Amino acid sequence: MAALNLLTTKGLSRNFGGLWAVHNVDFELPEGQVRALIGPNGAGKSTFVGLLCGRIPASSGSVQFDGRDVTALPAHKRIALGMAYTFQITSIFAKLSLWENVALAVRRKHHGDANAVEGGVKAALSRVGLADRADQLAGDLSYGHQRLLEIAMGLGQQPRLLILDEPTQGLAESEVDDFKKLVRNLAGETTVLLIEHNMDVVMDTADMITVLNFGEVLAEETPETIRDNSAVQAAYLGTG
Amino acid sequence: MSAAAKSVWLHGGVITLLFALQFVLPAYHHGNLARIMVLAVYAMGYNMLFGYTGLLSLGHALFFAAGMYGLGLTIAFLDFAPSPALLSGIISALIVSAVVGFLALRTTGVAFMIVTLMFAQAGFLTILLFGEYTRGDEGFVIQQPERVLAGIDLTTPGNRYFAALILFSVCLIITARVVQTPFGKVLIAIRENEDRARMLGYDVLRHKLIAVIISGTMSGAAGAAYALLFGYVGASFAAVQYSIFPLLWVLLGGAGTTIGPLVGTIFMFYLIDLSSGLTSAYMLIAGVTLVLLTLFARQGLVGELRKRALPWLP
Amino acid sequence: MPIIKKPSRLVTRRSALKGLAVGTGAVAAAGTLPGFVRYSQAQSSEPIRIGFQVHRTGIGAAYGRWYDRTTQAATKAINDAGGINGRPVEIIAEDDGTDPKRGAEVVEKFASQHNCDLAFGTLFSHVVFGSAPRAGELKIPYFVVSEGHHVASGKLNRYTLQPGITDVKSQVQAMAPFVSDNLGKKVTMIYPDFAFGHDHRDYFSAALEQQGGEVIAKIAIPPTESSFTKYFPKIPRDTEVIYHVMVGPAVLTFVKEMGEFYGPNKPEIFGFIDSLEAVDMASPGLEFLEGSYFWEGNPRYAQKDQSTYDKDYRAAVGVDDNGASVSDPKDVSTYSHMFGCWETLYTIKDGMEAAGYKGPEDRTKLIEAVESITDIPHSAEHPQGAKIFNGKTHQVFGHQYISKVKDGKLELAHTTSIEDTLYDDEVDYTTQPF
């Protein structure tokens, strides 16, 4: 318990028409950790991260980020405090160049400093291996490359907390390997919260794993112990 | 050549061309172009919101009229000289657009269209309601002696053209500059993917509000200039068709292009001018042309040019 | 050829020119000399080009259609009689869409593109307001046929004139004596809540007060209204006369609902025909107007004592005795206004002949010549009646007609004097430089 918690939630809940999508979640994420969030479809993972970054308002409970209660803040203010969020369904600026896509992510921090923006864009694109495509239109990229661009936009913000919502979905095998390397590189640099179905990716990258089921935390353990957790096994039964 | 350098050459070239044209155009087209430049300012104002920010307003006549009446009423009732009256017109439009933006931006999409339409309709009816002062639908004339700006008589063709050119150039340069700034890039980002822009940490509402204000103020400057240069203030400019016109001009010329509004305004002006000489069903011709353009040149004239040949066009 | 038999009332030079024109006209009309130069004026047989600003589309379209027919008929009559100064008249029509912005553009087109000698023919006030500044700047004479008070109010400029139709102020104030003497002293006014309605409200209230009457209620109807039931209860019970002017297509609903409100026990009703121009008096719903009175600019139905001038004018334009098109009895004319086009063209002719008009360089001479016109006698050229032109205010004054609805037709009940229509000058355009 040496590390400070970058993110804490207390009793965080979200009700959709009588159904608890997320219910009473207490969650702590220490600074610098790579945390994976897993669970069967409909477990409330995306809703949960939506609550964290402010896309979805909470029904009750609180979110603390960097020691500050951000529950009442709108999404863009939470982002400005150092969160970054990549969408589960690819969300990029299709009619703009890759460069401009990432520049939009970089610029907010380096307002007015063209050199810093240039450097930040190059660095982010290089990290996902898209530097040589900077002038292409984002909409012309393959699906896998669009996912990478999305991650680059996350990186470009130099966030304290990077939330990746199913980043490897639709990536080719080799791209998944590259992604794993990328996340491992990020470890120590930034805190990562990763929603992921691909258990390979989870096991290889996460320091800790949180399992959600029916909107509640089912387990929170290291990758090694989670394999043997029968409750997790049960939750995953039949879901592949 | 960098994008910024190309932008300077393009816009400098357009302004130089318009400057040069006054020496060669016959009187009729000389007069038309002065008018077109003022209307193109209106279109550029509209384009800032529709073309660059992706917000479709159906109430811009309100901003145009705010500028027009802000100038006209202060001349008529407070004996303002043209320069403070012009400023009054621009400030009126700024205030009106800030208020309308603040309220209307609580809605999005179709609701935004309807709310802006309702605001403009309310503005139109207000002008009629205060007929004692505005002379309602009939409007009023600003006489020649009241149209001498800083010693320059704006009723002579040369001065009028020059004044229109200056206003047009200032607004073109503002537009070209704004869309190159980080702020302008965020507007484009909001147009392309609002949710994404928000999740990059941008205050979407604030950006939209500023876009409405820039757009409305520019539209109001056009309205004030129209009254000053052409000597008439009337409620028809606040009616719904004057909210539709800038949309058409921008669609024709190319939404989200800096010179599209000018091209669209010229195109539509001469389309109506020439076809009305042939048939009284000229609005039908204009309509059919619009439909054809939206079918075969979806991006508008300049937009297609950008898509097919000159991808660097700002 | 009654057109040319007219007492001389201007300078002698003018009479001389007229004589020449008559001679030319006679030759042309006779048409017995093949190959003879039809327009034999020495210096030029180029046509005189008159830009006709016409409401072909937009709210004024029904008026525009009849303004066009009247203008074409007058032009034909003028040309058949030898044109102006021996030159034929050519009408260059441009649609202004009943829009002030387009109106100004059209005036510009006349002046700079079509090289017209003058612009003419506008009806709707807002189009006049929008266009007149441009006409003044382009220094092209602009003869409007609008019945607005804009010209005489001094709000326009030296290049804008209205010599062919009286203005709303004189029309309205001339109604007051008749209303208070014959219909009642306590009047409730119902009018549209925009400029034209406000003119009625202000001018009539003042004029009625002078007659010892009183407007006891002023009910303004918003322009967007399509049903009027909620306004009728606002009419005071002691109302003796309802004065209504409802310009717009809602007039049929208005009359029908007023009928439902009052039933048979109605007060006297006086209205302005403007809203029923181009509308058949036999339209269903208008029965309630039976026995009520209307201002008419020019009696729509041929009266028993119809003048030969009206008869000939009617025939020339193609209007039957009921005020409808001879080719389509459903196509009702705008008879109370369109004579203004006919008369204005003849005044232009008089002015040009008096000024010895040769081309655009003589435009100011033309305006001065028209400004010097005073009496305009009842004639074939001026079939609506005698008029007095006020050169200082650029506005003509003339008789107004009050008709009663009898058997679904309008029967002339009273003709006002010209004196009833006069008011103090509000401007002297002749002091303004050209």
Side-chain angles (χ1 to χ4, degrees):
Chain A
M1 296 300 282
L4 279 168
N5 284 333
L6 180 64
L7 182 82
T8 311
T9 74
K10 289 205 177 78
L12 192 62
S13 302
R14 173 67 201 192
N15 194 314
F16 287 118
L19 279 173
W20 291 104
V22 170
H23 189 229
N24 216 11
V25 171
D26 296 331
F27 178 83
E28 290 178 347
L29 179 54
E31 179 125 41
Q33 199 180 73
V34 175
R35 172 74 61 93
L37 190 60
I38 65 169
N41 284 327
K45 303 185 297 291
S46 285
T47 306
F48 179 66
V49 294
L51 292 169
L52 295 183
C53 64
R55 294 189 74 213
I56 304 168
S59 303
S60 61
S62 70
V63 181
Q64 288 214 344
F65 181 69
D66 200 15
R68 181 175 166 187
D69 190 332
V70 298
T71 319
L73 291 186
H76 70 267
K77 286 198 174 154
R78 299 191 199 188
I79 302 293
L81 288 175
M83 289 188 193
Y85 173 82
T86 70
F87 286 71
Q88 179 182 8
I89 297 159
T90 308
S91 182
I92 52 170
F93 303 108
K95 286 186 200 157
L96 306 181
S97 68
L98 270 64
W99 192 92
E100 185 58 35
N101 267 270
V102 181
L104 279 161
V106 173
R107 232 185 249 123
R108 190 173 44 76
K109 273 199 165 171
H110 303 284
H111 225 262
D113 184 349
N115 286 333
V117 172
E118 184 71 43
V121 173
K122 268 194 179 146
L125 282 174
S126 302
R127 271 190 117 151
V128 298
L130 289 174
D132 53 337
R133 294 169 183 264
D135 292 333
Q136 281 190 14
L137 286 188
D140 293 343
L141 291 179
S142 70
Y143 180 76
H145 283 149
Q146 290 186 358
R147 298 297 303 167
L148 292 175
L149 173 62
E150 177 112 29
I151 293 164
M153 290 164 77
L155 296 175
Q157 296 175 71
Q158 294 180 289
R160 312 258 325 263
L161 169 64
L162 176 60
I163 300 171
L164 299 165
D165 198 348
E166 303 206 14
T168 63
Q169 197 179 48
L171 292 192
E173 203 65 23
S174 63
E175 290 169 334
V176 171
D177 286 341
D178 289 342
F179 174 76
K180 284 196 258 186
K181 271 182 229 153
L182 178 66
V183 174
R184 275 197 294 266
N185 273 331
L186 284 173
E189 212 177 288
T190 182
T191 311
V192 178
L193 178 60
L194 175 70
I195 298 180
E196 190 51 71
H197 271 302
N198 186 330
M199 287 310 284
D200 252 11
V201 175
V202 173
M203 292 303 167
D204 288 0
T205 59
D207 302 320
M208 282 285 279
I209 297 171
T210 299
V211 185
L212 275 188
N213 197 25
F214 296 114
E216 297 184 353
V217 177
L218 185 68
E220 198 163 273
E221 292 170 57
T222 60
E224 291 71 37
T225 51
I226 206 107
R227 285 183 206 278
D228 309 323
N229 187 319
S230 56
V232 175
Q233 300 277 352
Y236 269 94
L237 269 181
T239 63
Chain B
M1 199 163 27
S2 74
K6 280 177 178 165
S7 165
V8 169
W9 277 103
L10 173 74
H11 301 116
V14 168
I15 292 167
T16 310
L17 178 67
L18 289 169
F19 180 80
L21 275 173
Q22 65 177 313
F23 301 110
V24 294
L25 283 181
Y28 177 59
H29 300 287
H30 181 272
N32 285 346
L33 199 53
R35 198 182 297 273
I36 286 169
M37 284 191 284
V38 174
L39 297 175
V41 169
Y42 184 21
M44 282 195 283
Y46 191 83
N47 189 37
M48 181 60 70
L49 195 62
F50 173 66
Y52 285 104
T53 319
L55 285 171
L56 201 163
S57 149
L58 290 180
H60 260 53
L62 179 63
F63 307 139
F64 189 83
M68 177 174 258
Y69 281 90
L71 173 129
L73 291 176
T74 49
I75 287 180
F77 293 99
L78 303 176
D79 292 324
F80 273 30
S83 357
L86 190 61
L87 195 64
S88 147
I90 292 169
I91 291 172
S92 307
L94 189 142
I95 293 170
V96 170
S97 54
V99 171
V100 169
F102 179 76
L103 296 170
L105 285 173
R106 286 152 195 270
T107 63
T108 53
V110 176
F112 181 78
M113 289 158 59
I114 292 170
V115 169
T116 49
L117 181 71
M118 298 310 284
F119 269 114
Q121 192 61 14
F124 175 62
L125 293 175
T126 305
I127 292 168
L128 296 188
L129 191 68
F130 288 94
E132 306 287 343
Y133 306 101
T134 63
R135 287 301 293 164
D137 54 313
E138 206 169 81
F140 58 91
V141 165
I142 301 175
Q143 294 290 359
Q144 185 268 338
E146 297 154 346
R147 291 160 60 196
V148 180
L149 182 77
I152 301 161
D153 183 354
L154 296 175
T155 63
T156 68
N159 290 347
R160 186 204 325 270
Y161 189 97
F162 209 66
L165 177 63
I166 287 173
L167 178 73
F168 174 82
S169 305
V170 167
C171 291
L172 181 67
I173 290 166
I174 289 175
T175 305
R177 187 73 204 104
V178 164
V179 302
Q180 294 293 334
T181 60
F183 171 80
K185 302 287 185 188
V186 176
L187 296 188
I188 294 169
I190 290 170
R191 176 191 74 194
E192 290 299 317
N193 189 338
E194 182 175 333
D195 206 18
R196 213 344 156 187
R198 181 178 296 111
M199 296 316 286
L200 288 178
Y202 293 109
D203 187 343
V204 168
L205 191 64
R206 196 178 121 258
H207 278 83
K208 281 182 177 175
L209 180 61
I210 295 173
V212 170
I213 293 172
I214 296 176
S215 172
T217 307
M218 209 179 269
S219 302
Y226 189 92
L228 196 57
L229 296 185
F230 299 97
Y232 174 67
V233 173
S236 66
F237 288 100
V240 65
Q241 63 267 36
Y242 281 87
S243 291
I244 306 293
F245 284 144
L247 171 63
L248 297 183
W249 296 330
V250 167
L251 279 177
L252 276 173
T257 63
T258 51
I259 58 169
L262 173 68
V263 173
T265 312
I266 293 175
F267 186 87
M268 181 107 165
F269 185 93
Y270 279 102
L271 182 68
I272 287 183
D273 196 56
L274 297 175
S275 57
S276 71
L278 304 174
T279 164
S280 62
Y282 56 90
M283 285 314 281
L284 185 71
I285 294 184
V288 169
T289 310
L290 265 175
V291 169
L292 289 178
L293 269 168
T294 41
L295 285 178
F296 299 108
R298 302 187 75 106
Q299 320 267 332
L301 296 168
V302 178
E304 286 299 316
L305 193 64
R306 169 158 74 186
K307 194 169 128 192
R308 288 161 204 264
L310 305 170
W312 55 268
L313 274 177
Chain C
M1 299 214 26
I3 288 171
I4 22 181
K5 272 185 277 165
K6 185 169 51 168
S8 162
R9 57 181 181 274
L10 280 174
V11 288
T12 46
R13 181 183 57 149
R14 187 172 164 208
S15 314
L17 283 164
K18 188 171 284 174
L20 187 55
V22 169
T24 320
V27 170
T32 49
L33 297 169
F36 186 81
V37 179
R38 184 182 160 100
Y39 301 98
S40 58
Q41 189 77 358
Q43 64 273 41
S44 169
S45 61
E46 279 285 293
I48 285 174
R49 296 163 69 83
I50 295 183
F52 177 31
Q53 192 183 32
V54 57
H55 307 324
R56 277 204 215 290
T57 55
I59 190 170
Y63 278 99
R65 193 171 66 240
W66 281 100
Y67 268 44
D68 193 15
R69 288 174 187 166
T70 311
T71 296
Q72 300 301 342
T75 306
K76 182 174 184 302
I78 289 172
N79 283 339
D80 286 352
I84 297 177
N85 287 338
R87 294 163 62 189
V89 174
E90 185 185 347
I91 297 291
I92 291 107
E94 283 276 353
D95 180 14
D96 59 26
T98 326
D99 177 74
K101 171 178 155 288
R102 185 63 195 154
E105 292 165 8
V106 161
V107 166
E108 199 152 330
K109 204 169 183 180
F110 290 146
S112 318
Q113 174 92 326
H114 293 312
N115 298 316
C116 290
D117 293 277
L118 54 88
F120 145 91
T122 328
L123 169 67
F124 271 64
S125 294
H126 62 312
V127 184
V128 172
F129 271 109
S131 309
R134 281 309 281 143
E137 288 158 22
L138 294 161
K139 304 196 182 299
I140 183 171
Y142 183 42
F143 288 85
V144 301
V145 189
S146 159
E147 80 172 354
H149 180 55
H150 34 49
V151 176
S153 69
K155 288 176 185 161
L156 303 180
N157 52 56
R158 187 142 189 207
Y159 283 86
T160 309
L161 307 101
Q162 188 157 249
I165 191 166
T166 59
D167 75 324
V168 60
K169 182 170 182 174
S170 68
Q171 293 168 2
V172 168
Q173 75 170 38
M175 296 303 104
F178 177 84
V179 169
S180 79
D181 292 349
N182 301 288
L183 305 181
K185 301 275 186 202
K186 291 182 176 175
V187 179
T188 291
M189 295 187 75
I190 302 175
Y191 53 89
D193 200 3
F194 54 78
F196 186 72
H198 298 163
D199 283 347
H200 275 266
R201 176 194 63 197
D202 298 342
Y203 301 139
F204 185 77
S205 308
L208 188 67
E209 219 162 278
Q210 286 199 340
Q211 298 294 323
E214 189 195 354
V215 174
I216 57 174
K218 298 171 181 175
I219 300 174
I221 311 276
T224 46
E225 209 63 88
S226 56
S227 175
F228 307 92
T229 42
K230 68 169 178 267
Y231 296 100
F232 296 119
K234 292 182 183 170
I235 300 173
R237 287 184 175 277
D238 55 344
T239 295
E240 293 165 5
V241 186
I242 290 176
Y243 177 113
H244 69 95
V245 48
M246 289 293 311
V247 180
V251 64
L252 291 176
T253 316
F254 172 74
V255 170
K256 185 170 148 286
E257 290 177 353
M258 185 158 66
E260 286 161 0
F261 180 78
Y262 275 113
N265 301 317
K266 61 186 176 190
E268 294 285 0
I269 296 172
F270 178 87
F272 262 67
I273 198 73
D274 298 63
S275 38
L276 291 172
E277 283 279 75
V279 175
D280 193 343
M281 291 305 289
S283 301
L286 293 186
E287 301 83 0
F288 181 72
L289 293 175
E290 185 70 18
S292 77
Y293 292 85
F294 273 103
W295 166 87
E296 286 196 279
N298 197 17
R300 177 191 296 184
Y301 291 85
Q303 303 295 315
K304 284 191 282 286
D305 56 348
Q306 180 193 28
S307 70
T308 56
Y309 307 134
D310 184 63
K311 202 177 175 71
D312 293 345
Y313 158 75
R314 231 173 245 273
V317 181
V319 177
D320 67 15
D321 284 352
N322 293 325
S325 164
V326 288
S327 56
D328 178 8
K330 293 268 173 245
D331 186 2
V332 176
S333 69
T334 57
Y335 209 74
S336 278
H337 297 84
M338 66 200 209
F339 69 87
C341 292
W342 178 283
E343 299 204 4
T344 301
L345 283 171
Y346 274 104
T347 301
I348 290 168
K349 176 176 185 286
D350 285 347
M352 284 187 164
E353 288 172 354
Y357 184 89
K358 294 188 186 68
E361 68 279 7
D362 293 333
R363 280 170 177 168
T364 56
K365 282 197 219 163
L366 166 63
I367 289 171
E368 283 170 336
V370 175
E371 281 170 348
S372 68
I373 292 174
T374 48
D375 289 320
I376 301 173
H378 193 197
S379 58
E381 294 88 339
H382 300 278
Q384 185 262 355
K387 292 182 182 62
I388 295 169
F389 185 71
N390 183 335
K392 288 180 178 171
T393 66
H394 284 193
Q395 176 61 52
V396 82
F397 294 84
H399 299 285
Q400 308 298 330
Y401 301 99
I402 295 169
S403 301
K404 187 174 188 180
V405 184
K406 268 190 193 159
D407 305 322
K409 292 186 174 188
L410 290 155
E411 191 178 299
L412 186 61
H414 178 71
T415 303
T416 74
S417 67
I418 296 179
E419 286 65 39
D420 281 349
T421 73
L422 298 178
Y423 50 81
D424 293 340
D425 291 358
E426 294 168 23
V427 65
D428 184 355
Y429 285 118
T430 60
T431 61
Q432 293 181 4
F434 279 111

